[in-house]
Amino acid sequence: MSELSNPVANAAVPGVSWNRKAKFQKRLFILLATVPMFAGYIVFTLYPNLLSVYYSLLNWDGIKEPVFVGLDNFGNLLKDEFVWRALRHNLILMGTVTPAVILISLILAYLIANKGYRFSSLFKVIFFFPNILSTVAISLLWAFVYDGSFGLLNAGLRLFGVDIGNYYWLGETGTAIWAIIPPSVWGAAGFYFVIFVNAMSTIPKSLYEAAILEGASHRIRLFNITVPLIMPIIRIAVLFLMLGVFKGFENILILTNGGPSGSTEVLGLYMFNIAFGSGIHNYGYASAIGMLLFIILVAAKLTIDRFTANRDSEF
């Protein structure tokens, strides 16, 4: 019998004992690092989502005995004009906020990464500042900006000779949905700015130096060199931003609560009001709206995968 296969001999070999102990500690660390998070994901994310599929087949207010109605909730959903109005508002916000955030973040990141500003570190802090504020704080700040009596926007317009009186931007159906866009862009641009700055820092300076020698302008360097090289990062950013804009409603809840006259109501807010609004507690129908939202988000993800190249750039 060899020395390594003998338990008694192994006990006397320090290297074998240490190796076994190290393997055990590694497995224990992996177990402790992954199991709690995975369990939390199952309990707080996966299980509620699966349960909402079952709820979408019920007529239930959360208190009385649930009544199984099959696909009736989905049939009512297709005929609900408020669902399609909310979906239209979702598409408006997704089609405006997403490109605005990506474009602004890219330009700011390029300037900080390549212009060599003296206080670039300070600019990074300033641009990222909105992301350390809560959604409530950002929404209340912009509600003050849009206020008709003492809002900063109306006061700024008066400085340029444009007096529109006490016009309340969030209280008019013609401007309310568009007034939602600036707070959404301002609150998200800093986060993606930091991501793009870090991505651009990996691009070799020699590429820009060669472009400068060829006489390339900053616009050409940005869109012909920088953007193609960090396209995988941009693609992921677009995906997460679109999904976040589409399913988010917290800022709208605080700014307008869907008003006036439903002109800013989105799917997430409509679902929330159906489930928890005053006088309305229809968890089954709200879950059906959630299923519609889930289908739209999956379709958006597949569309992005289909029409954007998923290949890494080499340099």
Side-chain angles (χ1 to χ4, degrees):
M1 181 180 298
S2 65
E3 184 180 0
L4 292 178
S5 62
N6 188 345
V8 178
N10 289 343
V13 180
V16 175
S17 176
W18 179 88
N19 189 40
R20 289 178 177 174
K21 185 177 180 180
K23 289 182 178 179
F24 172 76
Q25 290 177 343
K26 181 179 179 181
R27 292 172 182 173
L28 180 63
F29 173 77
I30 294 175
L31 190 67
L32 294 177
T34 57
V35 170
M37 276 64 73
F38 187 66
Y41 171 76
I42 293 177
V43 174
F44 297 108
T45 302
L46 184 60
Y47 175 71
N49 287 336
L50 294 177
L51 199 60
S52 64
V53 178
Y54 170 68
Y55 286 159
S56 67
L57 305 176
L58 305 176
N59 182 8
W60 185 43
D61 61 358
I63 300 176
K64 300 178 182 178
E65 189 69 22
V67 178
F68 183 80
V69 295
L71 300 177
D72 287 355
N73 286 328
F74 295 95
N76 295 332
L77 185 150
L78 296 176
K79 297 180 292 184
D80 190 347
E81 61 178 311
F82 299 114
V83 167
W84 302 111
R85 182 185 64 183
L87 178 59
R88 183 172 66 253
H89 297 154
N90 274 111
L91 295 175
I92 291 174
L93 293 176
M94 187 175 66
T96 53
V97 173
T98 301
V101 169
I102 295 298
L103 184 60
I104 293 173
S105 301
L106 275 174
I107 294 175
L108 292 177
Y110 175 82
L111 293 176
I112 293 298
N114 295 283
K115 293 288 286 185
Y117 291 118
R118 184 178 179 183
F119 301 104
S120 59
S121 298
L122 177 61
F123 291 147
K124 291 179 182 179
V125 174
I126 294 175
F127 294 152
F128 189 73
F129 177 74
N131 291 271
I132 68 175
L133 301 176
S134 66
T135 303
V136 175
I138 293 176
S139 301
L140 292 177
L141 174 64
W142 281 88
F144 172 75
V145 171
Y146 289 131
D147 188 86
S149 300
F150 48 84
L152 293 178
L153 180 57
N154 287 351
L157 291 175
R158 280 193 290 269
L159 290 177
F160 292 95
V162 181
D163 190 356
I164 57 175
N166 293 332
Y167 187 85
Y168 187 50
W169 297 83
L170 295 174
E172 300 292 334
T173 56
T175 57
I177 186 64
W178 306 108
I180 298 295
I181 297 173
S184 302
V185 174
W186 186 74
F191 176 77
Y192 293 96
F193 157 78
V194 172
I195 293 177
F196 293 151
V197 165
N198 292 330
M200 292 177 188
S201 66
T202 64
I203 300 176
K205 297 298 181 182
S206 58
L207 296 178
Y208 293 114
E209 293 171 356
I212 293 173
L213 293 176
E214 295 292 333
S217 64
H218 283 291
R219 181 181 60 84
I220 294 176
R221 277 177 266 167
L222 173 60
F223 292 103
N224 288 23
I225 298 177
T226 305
V227 171
L229 290 178
I230 65 170
M231 183 54 69
I233 306 298
I234 297 176
R235 176 176 172 272
I236 295 174
V238 170
L239 173 62
F240 278 94
L241 185 57
M242 287 180 61
L243 299 185
V245 170
F246 207 94
K247 68 179 182 179
F249 65 90
E250 297 87 350
N251 59 334
I252 299 177
L253 175 65
I254 298 169
L255 286 170
T256 65
N257 195 23
S261 302
S263 60
T264 59
E265 192 167 53
V266 292
L267 276 178
L269 181 58
Y270 185 53
M271 176 180 64
F272 177 83
N273 288 330
I274 290 293
F276 306 106
S278 59
I280 304 176
H281 298 285
N282 192 337
Y283 292 107
Y285 190 57
S287 297
I289 298 175
M291 291 299 99
L292 173 64
L293 189 58
F294 172 76
I295 293 172
I296 294 174
L297 294 178
V298 171
K301 196 271 180 186
L302 295 177
T303 302
I304 294 175
D305 290 342
R306 174 67 178 82
F307 291 101
T308 59
N310 185 19
R311 53 178 179 269
D312 295 332
S313 299
E314 297 182 358
F315 41 79

